Structure formats: C-alpha cells, structure tokens
Amino acid sequence: MDVEIAIPTCCNDGKTIKFTLQSLAKQTYKDFHLLIVYKPTPNDHTPDVLKPFSRELNMSIIEQTEGGIDDAMNLIFQNATGDILLTTDDDEIPDENWVNDHVLFHERYPNGGAFRGRVKRKSSDVGRRVKFKGLRRLISSDYSRDFKENVGFLTVFGLPYDRNDNASPRKGEVMKTITLTYENSSFKRKVYNDFRVPGYSLRGFHGEDLISLHAIKKGFFTGEIDGGWAEEIERTQFGVTNESLSTPTSIRGRLGLIAEHFLFPYGAYLEGFTPRRLWLLKPLLSTIRDPLRREASILGLTLAQDAISKRLEPKTVRKMLKSSLDSLYSKFNI
C-alpha cells in the first residue's frame, strides 16, 4: 500500500518539527513518502532543520506563498498521491507504530474513508472543543439517521457535536465520529483526491469535519481508531511564541474559534448537508450570559445564515468573517 505523510508548518522556526521528524524516522512501517508544506516567515530556520532529515526520510517540500491552514491543506490534497494519506502537525510526536496502526485499520475497514488516531494531550485544556453546557441538549438533534451510530455527528442545525467528549474506541475497534483532526488523521485516496477545503475560515476550525462529511457523502464512514497514538508537544517550552491555531490562549483566538464553530453550518451546506431550523438557534444563543461568547456565537451564526441564503463564495465569507471579528474586538476593546 502506497503511504504518504503530510505536515503543514508555519511560524515554528523548526523548533518542534524536528521532534516530529525524529519520530517519523523511527516508524516500524518504513515505506512512506513525506510531504511538507512550508510557509516561510522572516528569519525562519525551518529549512536548516529539515535538510539533515532528507538523508533518512523520503521527503518532498512545497513552499506555501500565501494563505493560512486551509490553503496549506489544499496544497497537500492537490499534491498527495498515496493510497493512504496521513496528516500530522509540526508539534506532534507520533508513536513508533503510528503509521502501521493507521494502515492496518484502513486494510481492516475498506469502507472506512478517514480515521482519527489517539492523541495524548499536553494538558487538560480541550482547546479545539467549543462547549456550551446549557445549550447542549437543545442543539443536539441528529441531522439524519445516517449519524445514529456516531459518537461525533452532525446536528439538524449543521453543527458538529459529540455525544460524549470522553468516549474512546473499544480495543481493536473503530468508534464512528465525524470529528477528525489534521494533527492525527488518515484518509483514503478516494476521499481526499477530489476534496478541497472551502477556505471560508481564518483558523481552519472544523475543516477536518468537512472532509468527514465529504467521505460520508461518498458512501464511507469515518471514525477514531484504537491506536495510532501521538503526543502533543508544549510549543512554548521550546520557544515558539505563536499560539496554535487550534488551541489558542488569547481572548481573540478563543472568540475566533467560537465564531467559526457557529459558521460551520455554511461549510456543511457546501458539502451538501443543508442545515435546517437555523432560525431557532439564534434565540438560544441570545441566552448565553457571557457577552463575549454570546456576541461571537451570534456573529458566526448570522454570517452562516447570510452566506447560505445569498449563496456567497467562501472567499467572500472569509473576508466578512475577518471584518466582523475585527469589529467585535474593537467593540470590546480587546
């Protein structure tokens, strides 16, 4: 089986990606090609870090000249050729059996279009998840019967949702979910070869869930496997000052994730899963007590409604999202 591994990297200065590459050099499954999409920044030493690994890893490097994480992933999907494509981040340390585990599950489940591996988090901060405890039951109706067996699924409002945040797959099995993650996922070629991230977001939040919907639309299922472990690196310990897009520490970053979460119905719409009853959601969001979270939530939802009703292009939505967030930051002086 032809296997490809892809890593997008930017603003890292090579400080943590070297640990990722060291772990890839020690994989028990040796026959793979490594594709790195690198976006240069001033005084960045990433190329110097990558060069020595070219002697022990079958590596190709593509320079990203513009755009963010969505654009980086699209370069990966456009240039990858493997029967199986694995993705990881520049601050992850895959276990030595990481590749082998993903390959085995793809062989075992021909109808599995994409799988998420297990991740040992650097802290208890869930980061990527956007939680609204008081609204969970009210907004968690399944989109359709297709998601009844899923722990992570699409709601009738076109939002990704987890029935149990702490759920994990049984030994040797797969737990069905649409909530994937680029830091540790694998995709069959039939799923990724004609998929492109729409590029309507700024932080790429839930982009992985879109490719999951794409896989389901093509007749596959997606899930988390019992294996494929990777460990998350604490970036700041190695002098990386830029916050992670998916686990922001700043108020602006967290509000951006909230807005993009409620913008997701537009992404679901683009993949053919048109949300229903969106008009019911705004009154529910208006009950959120925290004014910042309330404003960010309504911002994202309003933009989703406008983008769907007016059939706006993703690039237009991205510009509107940036402008709306800038206005929100200015309003609250943050």
Side-chain angles (χ1 to χ4, degrees), residues 45-60:
H45 298 91
T46 297
D48 298 329
V49 173
L50 298 180
K51 188 174 181 180
F53 287 96
S54 63
R55 294 190 290 268
E56 52 187 326
L57 292 170
N58 179 15
M59 181 192 306
S60 297

Side-chain angles (χ1 to χ4, degrees), residues 34-179:
L34 177 61
L35 174 63
I36 295 178
V37 171
Y38 163 63
K39 186 177 181 181
T41 52
N43 303 313
D44 193 336
H45 298 91
T46 297
D48 298 329
V49 173
L50 298 180
K51 188 174 181 180
F53 287 96
S54 63
R55 294 190 290 268
E56 52 187 326
L57 292 170
N58 179 15
M59 181 192 306
S60 297
I61 302 172
I62 296 177
E63 185 172 304
Q64 180 184 356
T65 57
E66 61 182 2
I69 183 60
D70 287 348
D71 304 279
M73 294 309 303
N74 281 338
L75 283 173
I76 288 171
F77 294 136
Q78 290 167 14
N79 289 277
T81 59
D83 299 320
I84 302 297
L85 170 65
L86 288 87
T87 58
T88 188
D89 287 346
D90 59 12
D91 55 0
E92 298 286 323
I93 303 180
D95 178 82
E96 63 179 8
N97 292 313
W98 180 67
V99 177
N100 190 62
D101 286 351
H102 276 276
V103 171
L104 285 177
F105 272 90
H106 276 282
E107 292 177 340
R108 189 181 304 169
Y109 295 92
N111 291 328
F115 294 130
R116 179 180 78 194
R118 308 292 303 279
V119 177
K120 182 179 179 181
R121 297 292 176 188
K122 60 191 177 185
S123 69
S124 60
D125 181 15
V126 294
R128 290 177 49 79
R129 299 170 183 158
V130 176
K131 293 189 174 182
F132 295 85
K133 295 181 180 179
L135 297 174
R136 290 174 70 89
R137 292 184 179 179
L138 295 173
I139 65 175
S140 61
S141 299
D142 293 35
Y143 184 85
S144 70
R145 292 184 178 181
D146 294 337
F147 298 96
K148 284 296 182 183
E149 297 180 0
N150 284 46
V151 171
F153 63 99
L154 188 71
T155 73
V156 69
F157 297 112
L159 292 169
Y161 180 86
D162 281 311
R163 300 183 206 275
N164 186 344
D165 291 336
N166 297 316
S168 58
R170 295 179 179 178
K171 187 174 182 179
E173 296 184 3
V174 173
M175 178 183 71
K176 288 186 178 181
T177 180
I178 68 164
T179 52

Side-chain angles (χ1 to χ4, degrees), residues 6 114 121 171 175 190 193 207 229 260-261 279 289 299:
R121 297 292 176 188
K171 187 174 182 179
M175 178 183 71
K190 289 182 179 180
N193 68 340
W229 280 95
E260 291 193 12
H261 174 72
W279 59 274
R289 292 183 179 181
L299 182 160

